[in-house]
Amino acid sequence: MSTAILTITGSDGTGFSGVQADIRYIHELGGHAVSAVTSITVQTTLGIQQFYDLPATIVRQQVEAIVNDLQPQVVKIGLLRRADVVEAVADVLRRYRPRHVVYAPVLHSAKGELLVSPEVFKTIEQLLIPLCSIVLAASDVPLDPRRHGYANQLGSAVAYFLSIGETETDAMQHAKAYLSLQPVSYVNGNSRSEELYNQFLSAVEQHFRHYADVAFYAEQLNVSARYLGQVTRRVGGRSPKAIIDERIVGEIAAMLTASHTPLKEMAQRLGFSSQAHLSRFFKKHKGVSPTIFQHKKTMIWQTKDNS
């Protein structure tokens, strides 16, 4: 029968890693997870935007409260971003001496972002790693970028099997075997991005003649403008505004080439405040005025006709 397993790590609001994932994985295996949070993050499946690292005194008090009350014999450690937090955690572990300490290093995000400074990791090497019974190495984690949170899963599974009395070798083997049976989609958090990107393109095609404001499209898709920007940059390599503007410029160019519609009427059709506004917008993106662009296109077609 398993005892409480203490996870000490950061928070991930998406649930694919961090303390949320640890609690879920341990519970699914049949264990009882308790936790101490080291960092609060602002993040989506596209990456981390901001950290708030909790003070060392708060982390220490969280750990000591759990240790004194529930006496977990297995501790799993993940994200530690402050040297004084590392010192505080190491101090409690030295005094308490749990049966097993599993360290799953969280040094980079799934997107390659550096999460822990070299100075902090040096403190981890000096003070924390000597207290650990298992330290997950890079070779323990498969090279599969879709498996966001795999290291968290592995560390949690190892901690669970240790909590039911298995040896370290058996716990590692059983943890890897368990994770090999989990579908990739179980930890895939990126499909939403591609879906949203396609929805945005469809919305632009439908509304670009009347709306050029990113906020309008974000509202239509029920996301923030900032998040929409993250999606379009990651999937399409462009900002939402650039995509909208390109579509409008393309429509103006098509109208200039295919018809003799007056610029004033074009401006009205496409939601510009005036003919001058349309001309400035078009020149900014094409480098020439609508009139010159139209003249050059006419000259090209006349040359082709004469040939």
Side-chain angles (χ1 to χ4, degrees):
M1 182 177 181
S2 66
T3 60
I5 300 166
L6 171 59
T7 174
I8 306 172
T9 190
S11 169
D12 176 357
T14 69
F16 288 104
S17 63
V19 65
Q20 292 91 336
D22 287 345
I23 292 172
R24 185 171 76 249
Y25 301 142
I26 291 170
H27 175 74
E28 289 177 353
L29 282 162
H32 174 209
V34 292
S35 63
V37 177
T38 60
S39 298
I40 298 171
T41 64
V42 177
Q43 68 175 298
T44 67
T45 56
L46 299 178
I48 300 172
Q49 286 84 58
Q50 190 174 350
F51 283 99
Y52 176 73
D53 299 318
L54 295 178
T57 54
I58 299 300
V59 176
R60 177 190 288 272
Q61 289 172 17
Q62 289 182 81
V63 176
E64 288 181 339
I66 295 297
V67 164
N68 291 332
D69 186 32
L70 299 174
Q71 299 185 327
Q73 290 303 306
V74 179
V75 177
K76 186 257 183 183
I77 301 174
L79 180 64
L80 301 175
R81 283 174 38 88
R82 291 174 49 149
D84 58 351
V85 167
V86 176
E87 293 169 358
V89 170
D91 181 59
V92 175
L93 293 178
R94 274 195 302 269
R95 290 188 289 108
Y96 174 58
R97 296 184 181 180
R99 188 174 297 116
H100 299 285
V101 177
V102 179
Y103 178 42
V106 181
L107 307 179
H108 296 85
S109 73
K111 308 302 179 183
E113 303 150 314
L114 182 65
L115 303 182
V116 176
S117 70
E119 293 77 16
V120 171
F121 188 68
K122 184 176 181 180
T123 305
I124 291 173
E125 289 183 313
Q126 294 174 342
L127 300 182
L128 180 64
I129 288 180
L131 302 175
C132 298
S133 47
I134 292 180
V135 177
L136 298 183
S139 58
D140 295 318
V141 180
L143 298 177
D144 186 341
R146 298 173 299 172
R147 296 300 292 265
H148 173 42
Y150 182 91
N152 273 58
Q153 289 187 23
L154 182 60
S156 297
V158 168
Y160 167 74
F161 287 112
L162 289 172
S163 75
I164 61 175
E166 293 193 359
T167 65
E168 294 173 6
T169 300
D170 288 345
M172 181 66 76
Q173 290 177 348
H174 288 161
K176 289 182 176 180
Y178 167 75
L179 293 183
S180 69
L181 299 176
Q182 302 301 311
V184 171
S185 59
Y186 184 73
V187 286
N188 186 349
N190 296 320
S191 60
R192 165 66 173 154
S193 302
E194 295 179 2
E195 178 185 354
L196 185 63
Y197 181 75
N198 292 334
Q199 290 174 346
F200 171 65
L201 295 182
S202 296
V204 170
E205 189 62 32
Q206 182 179 356
H207 299 291
F208 77 90
R209 292 176 181 84
H210 305 287
Y211 299 99
D213 188 1
V214 174
F216 167 82
Y217 293 95
E219 183 178 353
Q220 292 294 306
L221 299 170
N222 197 31
V223 297
S224 69
R226 180 180 181 183
Y227 180 70
L228 180 59
Q230 292 169 346
V231 169
T232 62
R233 288 184 179 89
R234 186 166 298 276
V235 178
R238 298 172 296 171
S239 69
K241 184 60 175 173
I243 294 172
I244 297 166
D245 286 353
E246 286 172 14
R247 183 63 186 91
I248 296 172
V249 169
E251 184 70 8
I252 296 172
M255 294 172 72
L256 290 170
T257 302
S259 70
H260 297 285
T261 305
L263 290 179
K264 183 177 181 180
E265 185 176 337
M266 287 187 192
Q268 292 174 345
R269 289 186 186 180
L270 296 175
F272 288 91
S273 60
S274 65
Q275 175 181 327
H277 183 195
L278 181 147
S279 296
R280 289 195 300 271
F281 174 84
F282 188 83
K283 187 174 182 179
K284 175 183 176 181
H285 291 278
K286 283 292 190 180
V288 296
S289 69
T291 302
I292 294 176
F293 177 86
Q294 189 175 45
H295 178 70
K296 286 183 176 180
K297 287 294 183 180
T298 301
M299 293 294 293
I300 291 172
W301 283 111
Q302 288 177 345
T303 300
K304 287 183 178 180
D305 290 339
N306 292 332
S307 62

